[in-house]
Amino acid sequence: MTDLGLRFSVDGPVARVVLDRPEVRNAQTPAMWSALADFGTSLPPEVRVVVVSGEGPSFSAGLDRRLMVGDPVDGQEPLLTLGAKPEPELLELIAAFQSGFSWLRRPEIISIAAVQGHAVGAGFQLALACDLRVVTPDARFSMREPALGLVPDLGGTQPLVQLVGYSRALELCTTTRWVEAAEARDIGLANIVVPAEELAATVKDLTDAVLGPLPGAIRETKALLLGAADRTYEDQLKAEREAQSRRLKELIAALG
């Protein structure tokens, strides 16, 4: 996949996605989103953790600017020309783009973004698609889509609100301002800020830690947490009971 600017690998329970276009700060293309979606659907069942990172000094500078307007790039249509398509076709196309990100939220995996340098637009949304974010002091986040007359449409709006709240999320999107690493940690965007030379080791330690509990327990717990904000308290209690019932039955079956 290096010709698309991506590297994929699977090593037992850990899969890795590396954005590999350092010459353009790992700017993204729809072809990359399609490849990401394909990788997500093809993951072996034993994979429990997915680590997403960027080659070079930046995580991702967002959509490749050459694909905003102008002529097709490597056979890919400029984004603004897509608006001329019939609405059903356009909506289906955007749904396909979103599938490159949404699989990272699946309950059976824990996804970790290792972020350094720029995480802009689509890069920010890719980091938000992950469950956890480990960042370096030079990490900078910005939701740039509104500055281009667009909306964030790659699944980033819901996790942003869940992490920082509606008011802060609205402020970040409407001002498109930069969020530096220290602020990202303080407002809940980043789980931890570590020196660049410690990024890989910290991500490995975190990976090892989340691989410790039984996979069924992690799957059920993530599903409970993902749905908690949309349930009433009573419904959440019910979901907990049902999840625990499934776990107890699965543990008994494993022992038998």
Side-chain angles (χ1 to χ4, degrees):
M1 288 291 180
T2 53
D3 56 329
L4 291 178
L6 290 165
R7 299 201 314 269
F8 299 120
S9 64
V10 176
D11 183 10
V14 181
R16 297 184 184 278
V17 176
V18 181
L19 306 181
D20 191 12
R21 302 182 74 207
E23 70 282 1
V24 289
R25 294 186 302 178
N26 299 318
Q28 300 175 37
T29 67
M32 292 170 70
W33 301 337
S34 178
L36 282 167
D38 290 343
F39 182 67
T41 58
S42 66
L43 280 180
E46 62 267 23
V47 170
R48 297 177 55 195
V49 176
V50 178
V51 177
V52 182
S53 63
E55 185 65 37
S58 288
F59 181 71
S60 174
L63 180 72
D64 190 323
R65 284 299 186 96
R66 297 178 301 163
L67 284 166
M68 279 300 298
V69 294
D71 297 323
V73 177
D74 298 330
Q76 300 177 78
E77 293 182 74
L79 188 62
L80 291 185
T81 67
L82 301 181
K85 294 182 180 296
E87 185 169 9
E89 182 181 347
L90 177 58
L91 295 179
E92 184 177 350
L93 190 59
I94 295 173
F97 295 164
Q98 292 170 332
S99 66
F101 293 62
S102 58
W103 64 273
L104 290 161
R105 304 271 287 177
R106 295 202 317 245
E108 65 268 26
I109 60 174
I110 300 295
S111 49
I112 303 172
V115 181
Q116 55 188 4
H118 296 83
V120 184
F124 191 3
Q125 292 189 77
L126 182 59
L128 287 168
C130 294
D131 300 305
L132 306 170
R133 283 152 296 282
V134 181
V135 312
T136 58
D138 68 338
R140 307 179 77 210
F141 299 89
S142 177
M143 198 69 82
R144 303 299 286 181
E145 286 85 351
L148 301 172
L150 303 170
V151 301
D153 67 342
L154 296 170
T157 55
Q158 186 183 71
L160 182 61
V161 171
Q162 290 170 338
L163 288 168
V164 306
Y166 161 75
S167 181
R168 179 72 72 187
L170 180 65
E171 180 245 322
L172 294 181
C173 290
T174 56
T175 65
T176 72
R177 70 174 177 86
W178 292 102
V179 179
E180 309 289 339
E183 183 185 3
R185 178 193 57 215
D186 292 344
I187 66 176
L189 280 177
N191 293 86
I192 186 172
V193 180
V194 298
E197 62 272 17
E198 298 177 16
L199 181 61
T202 302
V203 170
K204 184 182 185 305
D205 288 345
L206 184 56
T207 298
D208 291 343
V210 300
L211 285 174
L214 292 175
I218 294 296
R219 181 189 66 246
E220 292 282 10
T221 300
K222 179 176 174 179
L224 281 170
L225 295 174
L226 281 173
D230 299 321
R231 300 188 188 104
T232 67
Y233 182 60
E234 290 301 323
D235 285 342
Q236 185 69 5
L237 290 176
K238 179 174 181 289
E240 289 178 3
R241 293 194 297 270
E242 292 171 347
Q244 193 72 299
S245 175
R246 288 190 294 271
R247 289 304 304 141
L248 289 168
K249 287 179 170 56
E250 289 173 7
L251 289 172
I252 290 174
L255 291 173

